[in-house]
């Protein structure tokens, strides 16, 4: 099925892409960014494959999903392949639960050298907010990581924490969200506003976080990750034109 | 001469702190936080410096350095006890939340929280002022500032400009060399860096000592007003750009690179400037004898500001309760408004009860003439 779709899109030519599933839809503003993904754009223009490195903590490792290939990085790869062609999108993931930005920062250098990605998606801030990591240290780690990636010829997308956790409500998460936003703006990186996106889903009732049967919980988690993958794919494709 | 505005603005700051303490509270839009760079913390710290110098300066003049020092320490002890009380409330809340169901999507969040939730360890760290129950808790900062206040007070009365200079230098060096006090867990530091925030406290104290800042600024009234309004509008524009996507692109990149991130722990200069622009405007609009201060709502704020410590503690406690209600019972917008209003009224009622008690006990000891001049001063006896 995806092969047929891939061919169809390739035949149809460039940018016109299909709509995001209605259950995943989010406000247009949350999908907007003044940043253009220059390296992704160049790779697309030259017909080269886009290599994406996703670095993150628990949610990137697939917390809550029923199978590893249902986590959002795998779904991102699947959606991009549908859109750009099987060989044109490769996603590698490096994720470990419980890591702060400062802990992920030293690994960036070697990861970037190993996979030479066109785009790096850095999901962080969750553990930092929970542990009340020093805000300025958090900011510095972000800035250093972004600059390292950009110097290596890699576009950067920052992804902020998930919305909906009861324990996270008790910690003051806003300063970390603010820093992710502000550092992204200052360093010309893109921000994927997962927190706001999920908040809208929860408040509109589309994402049900209440206690239900295990099978239903699996389905909900899988759908949430799939939607995030879709939205990411959409945002990448739109800002690489 | 009593300046009701001190208590008025402090009462407002306490209201903002309460509203902002409840996560996802629509009423927090009433606070200044979303419309600029500074928030209730700046207001609170500045006014505290101002009232500290009034309260303890007079003690120092009347009874000497030692007695003033003892009074300050006594107050620090009260603040410390309040901090431990808030820690207990927080621990109860965390323990409760840990039992609630969290979707498996958040297994990492739960694990990290569980790992950090060791009440016996956290208690010791809280006693050492390293573990902060809430990241918005200004109490440990206040404790640190007041604890070191006696030398500041002494120096300010002898050499105000030198003291101010030292304060500014400390602020700059702390930012440059990343000075801060140790927090918990290991490797973390204070959410409100005392080495940086002391500047706001000292500025308040310096202004409290002079009492004539506005008169001295009067000749420059026009340009200062224009400057303040311009800066406030600029800050409003930037703060709104964080929330409204189409404004985002209008902030020039060079400005973003220079401004961001705007540090709250280190009291970023943008925040400092924003507070003073706001304060200047507020003080121009609301004169010391202003009729605005007569209306019942303003009187309620003034009353609350007079008993700031008790009202603050009640506020933090109620924010936990309010959050509980919103999560367990009803989290709708109208529920948030009801909880906010109810909380504010309860906070005010604490001040009412305290005033009533004070009046009742004063009537009983009316024969003693010694205490009268202090009470007539109108400002609360402790800062």
């Amino acid at each position: 099925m995806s092969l047929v779709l891939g061919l169809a899109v390739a035949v149809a030519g460039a940018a016109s892409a299909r709509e995001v599933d209605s259950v995943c839809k989010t406000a247009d503003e949350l999908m907007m960014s003044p940043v253009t993904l220059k390296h992704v754009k160049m790779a697309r223009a030259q017909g080269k494959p886009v290599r994406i490195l996703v670095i993150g903590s628990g949610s990137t490792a697939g917390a809550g999903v029923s199978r590893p290939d249902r986590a959002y990085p795998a779904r991102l790869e699947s959606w991009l392949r549908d859109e750009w062609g099987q060989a044109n999108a490769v996603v590698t993931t490096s994720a470990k639960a419980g890591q702060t930005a400062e802990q992920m920062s030293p690994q960036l250098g070697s990861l970037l050298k190993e996979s030479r990605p066109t785009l790096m998606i850095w999901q962080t801030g969750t553990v930092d907010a929970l542990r009340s990591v020093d805000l300025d240290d958090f900011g510095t780690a972000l800035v250093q990581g972004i600059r390292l990636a950009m110097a290596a010829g890699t576009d950067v997308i920052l992804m902020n924490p998930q919305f909906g956790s009861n324990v996270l409500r008790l910690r003051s998460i806003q300063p970390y969200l603010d820093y992710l936003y502000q550092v992204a703006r200052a360093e010309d990186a893109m921000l994927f506003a997962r927190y706001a996106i999920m908040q809208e889903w929860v408040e509109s009732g589309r994402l049900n976080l209440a206690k239900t049967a295990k099978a239903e919980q699996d389905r909900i988690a899988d759908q949430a990750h799939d939607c995030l993958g879709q939205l990411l794919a959409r945002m990448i494709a739109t800002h690489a034109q | 001469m009593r300046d009701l505005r001190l208590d008025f603005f402090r009462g407002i700051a306490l209201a903002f702190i309460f509203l902002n303490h409840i996560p996802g509270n629509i009423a927090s839009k009433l606070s200044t936080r979303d419309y600029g760079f500074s928030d209730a913390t700046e207001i609170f710290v500045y006014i505290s410096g101002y009232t500290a110098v009034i309260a303890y300066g007079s003690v120092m003049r009347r009874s000497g350095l030692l007695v003033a020092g003892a009074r300050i320490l006594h107050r620090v002890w009260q603040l410390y006890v309040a901090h431990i009380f808030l820690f207990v409330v927080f621990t109860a809340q965390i323990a409760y939340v840990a039992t609630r169901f969290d979707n498996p999507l958040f297994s990492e969040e739960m694990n990290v929280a569980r790992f950090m939730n060791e009440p016996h360890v956290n208690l010791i760290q809280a006693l050492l002022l390293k573990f902060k129950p809430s990241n918005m808790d200004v109490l440990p900062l206040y404790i640190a500032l007041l604890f070191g206040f006696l030398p500041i007070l002494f120096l300010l009365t002898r050499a105000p400009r030198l003291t101010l200079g030292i304060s500014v230098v400390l602020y700059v060096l702390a930012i440059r060399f990343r000075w801060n006090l140790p927090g918990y867990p290991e490797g973390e530091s204070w959410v409100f860096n005392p080495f940086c925030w002391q500047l706001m406290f000292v500025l308040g104290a310096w202004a409290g000592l002079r009492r004539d800042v506005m008169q001295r600024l009067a000749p420059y009234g026009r340009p200062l007003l224009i400057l303040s309004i311009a800066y406030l509008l600029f800050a409003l524009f930037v703060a709104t750009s964080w929330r409204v996507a189409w404004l985002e692109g209008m902030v020039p990149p060079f400005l973003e690179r220079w401004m961001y991130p705007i540090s709250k722990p280190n009291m970023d200069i943008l925040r400092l400037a924003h507070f003073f622009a706001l304060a200047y405007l507020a003080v121009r609009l609301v004169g010391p004898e202003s009729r605005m201060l007569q209306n019942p709502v303003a009187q309620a704020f003034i009353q609350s500001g007079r008993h700031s410590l008790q009202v603050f503690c009640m506020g933090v406690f109620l924010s936990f309760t309010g959050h509980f209600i919103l999560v367990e019972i009803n989290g709708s917008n109208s529920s948030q408004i009801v909880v906010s209003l109810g909380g504010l009224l309860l906070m005010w009622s604490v001040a009412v009860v305290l005033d009533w008690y004070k009046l009742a006990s004063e009537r009983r000891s009316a024969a003693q003439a010694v205490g009268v001049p202090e009470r007539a001063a109108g400002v609360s006896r402790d800062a």
Side-chain angles (χ1 to χ4, degrees):
Chain A
M1 177 60 200
S2 60
L3 188 60
V4 172
L5 213 58
L7 282 174
V9 171
V11 164
S16 97
R18 47 196 234 271
E19 283 291 311
V20 167
D21 287 354
S22 60
V23 71
C24 303
K25 266 206 169 0
T26 188
D28 285 337
E29 318 194 315
L30 295 174
M31 299 289 285
M32 274 165 49
S33 172
V35 172
T36 307
L37 300 170
K38 298 193 288 284
H39 296 100
V40 176
K41 182 175 176 179
M42 205 155 60
R44 291 292 300 144
Q46 295 169 355
K48 293 206 178 103
V50 174
R51 282 187 306 277
I52 301 178
L53 172 66
V54 183
I55 304 177
S57 62
S59 57
T60 305
V65 294
S66 55
R67 282 189 344 230
D69 68 345
R70 300 263 167 97
Y72 79 81
R75 297 309 301 147
L76 169 66
E77 185 179 62
S78 167
W79 285 101
L80 280 178
R81 284 183 173 179
D82 286 350
E83 190 142 329
W84 291 343
Q86 189 70 9
N88 287 336
V90 179
V91 173
T92 25
T93 312
S94 167
K96 189 160 168 238
Q99 287 195 316
T100 63
E102 282 172 272
Q103 287 166 336
M104 291 189 247
S105 191
Q107 304 159 23
L108 287 178
S110 49
L111 282 169
L112 286 166
K113 223 194 302 212
E114 239 174 75
S115 38
R116 308 215 133 270
T118 331
L119 168 66
M120 174 177 91
I121 300 177
W122 192 2
Q123 174 261 307
T124 182
T126 308
V127 182
D128 310 76
L130 282 165
R131 298 187 55 186
S132 299
V133 162
D134 183 291
L135 260 178
D136 290 317
D137 287 346
F138 175 64
T140 309
L142 287 176
V143 169
Q144 283 173 353
I146 294 174
R147 290 188 181 169
L148 196 62
M150 288 186 167
T154 306
D155 289 330
V156 178
I157 297 181
L158 291 182
M159 186 186 303
N160 57 20
Q162 301 185 99
F163 174 87
S165 162
N166 287 319
V167 292
L168 208 52
R169 273 179 189 245
L170 288 180
R171 304 309 280 164
S172 178
I173 193 178
Q174 195 59 44
Y176 297 88
L177 294 174
D178 287 344
Y179 263 51
L180 280 162
Y181 172 87
Q182 290 176 3
V183 167
R185 297 300 298 127
E187 300 296 316
D188 221 20
M190 191 180 289
L191 178 71
F192 181 70
R194 179 169 64 163
Y195 190 83
I197 291 172
M198 286 180 72
Q199 181 170 16
E200 202 269 312
W201 287 347
V202 170
E203 287 173 356
S204 66
R206 271 184 287 161
L207 180 55
N208 174 23
L209 296 175
K211 186 167 186 152
T212 51
K214 175 87 171 57
E216 177 65 6
Q217 272 169 35
D218 281 349
R219 190 196 67 77
I220 289 172
D222 288 350
Q223 182 175 75
H225 274 254
D226 183 59
C227 284
L228 287 171
Q230 270 190 58
L231 291 172
L232 259 175
R234 194 89 302 283
M235 205 166 172
I236 293 172
T238 321
H239 292 88
Q241 288 171 5
Chain B
M1 211 196 74
R2 75 208 249 187
D3 194 340
L4 291 174
R5 294 177 297 178
L6 288 169
D7 290 325
F8 175 67
F9 287 119
R10 188 153 58 177
I12 289 189
L14 291 172
F16 287 170
I17 291 176
F18 163 71
L19 293 174
N20 292 341
H21 243 99
I22 303 178
N25 184 4
I26 196 176
S28 67
K29 289 201 218 276
L30 288 172
S31 77
T32 51
R33 187 182 60 177
D34 290 347
Y35 309 110
F37 304 136
S38 69
D39 62 18
T41 320
E42 277 86 355
I43 305 175
F44 193 82
V45 174
Y46 179 83
I47 295 183
S48 299
Y50 199 105
T51 54
V53 93
I54 293 175
Y56 303 116
S58 64
V59 173
M60 190 175 78
R61 267 193 308 276
R62 270 199 325 267
S63 323
L65 215 56
L66 224 52
V67 174
R71 278 284 289 276
I72 292 173
L73 281 180
H74 173 73
R75 184 61 170 169
V76 169
W77 171 249
Q78 288 179 334
L79 296 173
Y80 185 72
V81 169
H83 164 72
I84 299 301
F85 166 70
L86 290 179
F87 169 78
V88 171
V89 174
F90 171 79
T91 303
Q93 191 186 30
I94 268 275
Y96 167 73
V97 166
T99 66
R100 284 191 90 247
F101 168 76
D102 226 7
N103 192 290
L105 279 171
F106 312 115
S107 57
E108 173 186 51
E109 285 86 334
M110 285 294 264
N111 286 336
V112 176
R114 200 175 301 129
F115 171 74
M116 285 187 59
N117 185 26
E118 305 170 289
H120 57 290
V121 177
N122 292 348
L123 177 60
I124 296 175
Q125 299 301 326
L127 288 167
L128 293 172
L129 290 185
K130 286 169 79 177
F131 180 86
K132 314 294 181 340
S134 161
N135 289 9
M136 288 168 278
D137 192 357
V138 77
L139 217 45
L141 171 67
Y142 197 16
I143 291 172
L145 291 174
L146 214 52
F147 187 73
F149 187 56
L150 192 64
I152 298 174
L153 179 62
F154 180 75
L155 268 177
L156 263 180
T157 46
R158 301 284 184 277
R161 277 191 216 147
L162 177 68
T163 317
L164 209 53
I166 296 175
S167 178
V168 170
V169 168
L170 183 59
Y171 170 77
V172 171
L173 290 179
I175 293 180
R176 175 76 184 73
F177 294 112
R178 315 281 232 124
W179 293 341
N180 199 342
L181 291 179
Y184 176 78
E186 289 315 310
E188 305 327 334
S189 38
W190 283 42
V191 170
F192 296 112
N193 185 346
F195 297 119
C196 291
W197 282 85
Q198 52 78 24
L199 178 58
M200 184 62 86
F201 194 69
V202 170
L203 283 168
W206 179 81
L209 207 59
R210 297 194 59 119
R211 306 283 222 112
D212 65 347
V213 176
M214 285 311 279
Q215 276 117 291
R216 293 292 296 273
L217 289 177
Y220 313 102
R222 198 93 188 291
L224 275 178
L225 196 64
I226 295 174
L227 203 64
S228 300
I229 293 179
Y231 187 70
L232 288 173
L233 286 174
F234 165 71
L236 178 64
F237 163 66
V238 173
T240 315
S241 79
W242 301 338
R243 258 170 296 282
V244 176
W246 58 266
L247 271 182
E248 203 180 53
M250 287 173 61
V251 183
F254 80 89
L255 205 60
E256 291 180 327
R257 275 193 290 276
W258 177 69
M259 285 194 303
Y260 297 150
I262 301 176
S263 174
K264 183 163 172 172
N266 290 345
M267 201 181 70
D268 198 293
I269 197 95
L270 290 170
R271 294 184 63 111
L272 184 87
H274 186 257
F275 166 73
F276 280 112
L278 207 55
Y280 183 73
L281 201 64
V283 168
R284 279 287 293 261
L285 287 175
V286 183
E289 311 288 323
S290 171
R291 299 272 293 279
M292 273 192 248
L293 297 175
Q294 314 288 7
N295 81 65
V297 175
Q299 287 290 316
F301 280 121
I302 293 171
Q303 212 169 1
S304 303
R306 262 208 300 275
H307 301 280
S308 54
L309 180 60
Q310 294 92 328
V311 171
F312 173 78
C313 288
M314 187 55 147
V316 176
F317 176 76
L318 285 173
S319 69
F320 291 160
T321 317
H323 181 211
F324 175 84
I325 293 174
L326 290 178
V327 167
E328 291 297 331
I329 300 172
N330 183 345
S332 67
N333 281 351
S334 36
S335 185
Q336 291 168 27
I337 293 174
V338 167
V339 162
S340 297
L341 204 57
L344 289 174
L345 285 170
L346 279 171
M347 284 165 71
W348 173 53
S349 66
V350 167
V352 170
V353 168
L354 286 169
D355 268 349
W356 167 82
Y357 177 73
K358 203 168 177 199
L359 206 59
S361 60
E362 274 169 21
R363 285 206 183 112
R364 264 180 290 137
S365 57
Q368 295 177 14
V370 162
V372 170
E374 280 177 83
R375 283 189 286 274
V379 183
S380 53
R381 287 177 62 205
D382 279 301

